[in-house]
Amino acid sequence: MAGSKFGSFKSEKGSSAGAAAGAGAAAQRRDPYEVLGVGRNATEQEIKSAFRRMALKYHPDKNADDPVASDKFQEATFSYNILSDPDKRRQYDSSGFEAIEADSHELELDLSSLNTVNTVFAALFSKLGVPIKTTVSATVLEEALNGSVGISQLELGQSVFRKVEKQSAHFYSVDITDKEAKMGLVCRVQSTAKSKFKLLYFEPEENGGLSLALQEDSVKTGKVTSAGMFFLGFPVYRFEQNNSVAAAKDPDSAFFKRLDGFQPCEVNELKAGTHFFAVYGDNFFKSATYNIEVVCAEPFSTEKEKLRCVEAKILAKRSELSKFESEYREVLAKFTEMTSRYAQEMQTIDELLKERNAIHASYTNNTTLQRSSSSNKGKTSSKESKSDDDQTVKKEKKSKSKSMEGSRSDDDGPRKEKKPKERLRRKKWFNIHLKVDKRRPC
């Protein structure tokens, strides 16, 4: 289950969040903690809330003709992208912006704020395999925060099939009892049309509005796209796929970092009461069809234990991979060294043999013979065998030509009948003919 991820906005001029308020140097950037107005010990929820407030205040949808607001929005988004990622936050705390810039940034877009041309380009890049993350429209978030969204009641175990327009959301409320909360709750969404969507979980605010707390992007699994949230009363993990472009450039590093995206979810259990989910259409151009279902985990006790067991194995495997990587790198370096030495030794041996042949050829007073013999001795045995084969072929050709000349001379002169030579048959012992004198009795 993925944590809340708020992406960046790309203006019509093509600027991205990775540029962070233009292509300015690191010295011109402000401290991400200062930008969001939080302390260095701020929790993930505090960072999330601070960014949400700034995103709603400075989003280009509300400030279309204000370049200052656009810069502040991009700056806030860039800061949030650092502080919301545990690895990037750790790198920044230790080494500043230089460590962050060493890693490639994924492009994150609010599709509702793009014009048609930029949307086409974004869809094209996505088709080409460029990782483009999208974020929930600021309009949807603001309407939810103001409590002006329509909410449908969803019963436990009920499956609903609907179609949501792009960059729009359908909201659902689910009521659960104390027993159901204790046994656990699972919300899953699937699309047989392989539509892109986001599964969202909202928390109620004091003013009656809803604020985004969790987000799960749809993932293609087999012939469907799906997303799910699991509130089972014990730590459950979400898995974010690695960058496919980076994996193609360095498959070894991608393999060893494959399980780095296996991170614990922020919320593991729900309390009794009413809870709010939403399905957000994330296609570039068309609406998304989906099927949503919320179930109580009580009948799935076996599946709960299997999930707990397999995720524990994945965590153990992640630890093993870190140890295996150091061993693999060491052996790979040794192999590279041995391969290089092998090539050098082969070249050295060839040079020594060539020098030896030249010394052998120098034992003569005939300078012409010395030159020719030295060059001949430098030839390989394969060339000698080839010359022998050539001589054999020449002899065969000569014999054929002689036979052809003989046949021509026979044609010109009188033809002589040639008696075919009778092949002498070998007599077998059981075919021997014995001459018997019949007149003499035996």
Side-chain angles (χ1 to χ4, degrees), residues 81-152:
N81 285 340
I82 295 175
L83 300 184
S84 63
D85 188 312
D87 292 333
K88 290 182 180 180
R89 184 177 181 180
R90 193 183 312 111
Q91 291 173 356
Y92 174 78
D93 290 342
S94 61
S95 305
F97 285 112
E98 293 181 358
I100 303 299
E101 290 174 346
D103 295 334
S104 60
H105 297 287
E106 292 181 338
L107 185 62
E108 299 188 3
L109 302 174
D110 179 359
L111 297 180
S112 64
S113 62
L114 300 183
N115 61 11
T116 304
V117 176
N118 282 341
T119 303
V120 171
F121 276 111
L124 178 61
F125 288 138
S126 179
K127 287 288 186 182
L128 293 176
V130 178
I132 298 179
K133 285 190 174 182
T134 57
T135 183
V136 180
S137 169
T139 304
V140 173
L141 295 178
E142 187 173 10
E143 290 177 352
L145 195 60
N146 295 334
S148 58
V149 293
I151 302 175
S152 303

Side-chain angles (χ1 to χ4, degrees), residues 56-74:
L56 293 175
K57 181 178 179 180
Y58 295 111
H59 198 280
D61 284 353
K62 299 176 61 177
N63 305 274
D65 299 326
D66 189 351
V68 176
S70 177
D71 291 342
K72 287 184 176 294
F73 178 80
Q74 294 184 45

Side-chain angles (χ1 to χ4, degrees), residues 2-6 33 36-54 80 83-86 89 145 201-205 210-215 238 265-268:
S4 177
K5 295 286 183 183
F6 296 85
Y33 295 98
L36 297 181
V38 296
R40 288 191 170 270
N41 296 326
T43 63
E44 185 175 352
Q45 187 61 40
E46 291 173 343
I47 293 173
K48 191 184 303 179
S49 300
F51 172 73
R52 188 187 302 121
R53 288 193 298 269
M54 294 192 68
Y80 178 76
L83 300 184
S84 63
D85 188 312
R89 184 177 181 180
L145 195 60
Y201 175 75
F202 287 84
E203 293 178 344
E205 297 287 339
L210 301 174
S211 61
L212 180 62
L214 301 174
Q215 173 179 313
R238 66 176 183 270
C265 302
E266 292 83 352
V267 181
N268 297 318

